[in-house]
Amino acid sequence: METKFFIHSGDITTCKVDAIVNAANEGLMPGGGVCGAIYKAAGNQLYFETLTLGPCPTGEVRVSKAYKLPAKFVIHAVGPIYLEGKDGEDLLLIDCYRNTLEAAHKAQAKTIAFPAISTGIYNYPIREATEIALKTCSDYVKEYPDAFTEIYFICFKDEDLIVYDEIAHSLDMNIPVGVCKECLADVRKEDKMPDRELYECPECFHPHRLDELY
Ligand code: AR6
C-alpha cells in the first residue's frame, strides 16, 4: 500500500482524518495558536481529558479523544522551543514527529494531519522544521508502508505552503499542492500555468488559485 502525502492550506480543526496533531505544551494546557483553536473547537471535554494525561516532556506525545472535532483522536505533540538551534532542537523535533507517527500507528489511525509543529510561538525556523517534518514522515512510511493511507501537512499561512512545496520537491517527494474543488483530482506543482498564479486541474482543466484548492 502506498501512503499519499498532501500539503494543504487551511485550518486543521476542520480536517476529516482519523488523527489530527496538536502543537502542544508540556503542561497539555490550552494555549494560543493551533492548540487554542483545537481546544476551542473540541469543547471542554478535551480540556478535562488532557488534565489527566500531562505533563508531557518535549519530544513526547499523548493521545486523547477528539470530542466535537471531526477527527477520532488528537495526538498532542510537544515540539521544542527554538532558541539558537544549539540545544538539540532538531533531534527533539524529529522525536516529536516520530513519536506522533508511532502513537497514531498504534491507535490504528490510517489518516493523519499535522500542523507545522514548533514554527509559531515556539519560533522554529520554517524551512528547517519543514525538512524535518517531511523527511521523518517519509522515512517512517518507508519503514512501515502499511501504516497510513494519507498524511496531510496543513499550512495555516500561504507562505508556509510554498516552503512545504519547495522542500517536498527538494526531497523528491511528489506531493500534490491540493485537490480540485470541481472534480477532486490531485493538482500538482507541474500543473501551474506558465506565467500565471493559477493551477490547471489535470482532469477537468478548471483553473484555480492555490488558496482555492482543497
Ligand atoms: N490550523 C493549522 N495550523 C495552525 C492553526 C490552525 N487552526 N493555527 C495556527 N497554526 P503554534 P508552536 C499554525 O504557535 O510553535 C501554543 O500556545 C501556525 O501558523 O500553534 O508549536 C501551545 O499551547 C504555525 O505554523 O505552535 C504551546 O504553548 C503552526 O500552527 C505553543 O503554542 C504552529 O504554531 C506551541 O508553539
Side-chain angles (χ1 to χ4, degrees):
M1 186 179 67
E2 195 201 350
T3 307
K4 284 175 104 183
F5 288 100
F6 300 90
I7 296 167
H8 284 194
S9 62
D11 175 355
I12 205 165
T13 62
T14 64
C15 287
K16 294 183 185 69
V17 286
D18 293 337
I20 65 164
V21 181
N22 178 21
N25 52 64
E26 290 191 337
L28 297 186
M29 286 290 138
V34 66
C35 185
I38 288 173
Y39 274 89
K40 191 164 172 224
N44 279 344
Q45 281 172 297
L46 178 63
Y47 172 67
F48 295 128
E49 182 176 353
T50 57
L51 277 182
T52 69
L53 301 176
C56 178
T58 300
E60 292 190 16
V61 306
R62 300 286 184 267
V63 181
S64 75
K65 291 188 215 154
Y67 300 99
K68 292 184 184 166
L69 295 164
K72 292 181 195 149
F73 310 105
V74 180
I75 303 185
H76 303 266
V78 182
I81 299 174
Y82 191 91
L83 298 169
E84 291 180 351
K86 295 177 189 149
D87 293 314
E89 289 95 327
D90 53 349
L91 298 179
L92 289 166
L93 192 60
I94 292 170
D95 277 354
C96 185
Y97 276 94
R98 175 97 194 170
N99 287 330
T100 300
L101 292 161
E102 279 176 1
H105 190 178
K106 201 167 154 205
Q108 298 184 335
K110 289 290 189 192
T111 55
I112 180 167
F114 284 95
I117 300 170
S118 281
T119 67
I121 294 162
Y122 282 180
N123 221 19
Y124 209 110
I126 184 71
R127 296 197 85 82
E128 284 89 328
T130 302
E131 192 158 345
I132 287 175
L134 294 178
K135 186 142 188 352
T136 309
C137 292
S138 164
D139 288 348
Y140 194 88
V141 304
K142 279 183 199 142
E143 208 176 321
Y144 299 103
D146 293 328
F148 301 102
T149 55
E150 293 166 10
I151 298 183
Y152 292 81
F153 299 98
I154 307 298
C155 298
F156 201 55
K157 294 180 259 167
D158 283 346
E159 61 262 35
D160 291 353
L161 195 77
I162 294 164
V163 172
Y164 266 77
D165 191 44
E166 282 174 10
I167 306 271
H169 276 79
S170 75
L171 294 173
D172 264 341
M173 292 169 78
N174 185 18
I175 304 185
V177 292
V179 172
C180 171
K181 278 186 180 168
E182 306 297 319
C183 73
L184 301 181
D186 289 346
V187 179
R188 296 178 188 275
K189 192 177 182 171
E190 55 270 28
D191 299 318
K192 185 167 181 299
M193 299 166 85
D195 303 324
R196 300 183 66 184
E197 288 310 312
L198 292 173
Y199 289 74
E200 187 180 61
C201 171
E203 297 289 331
C204 72
F205 307 111
H206 195 95
H208 300 273
R209 287 202 323 264
L210 198 53
D211 62 2
E212 285 173 347
L213 296 164
Y214 282 125

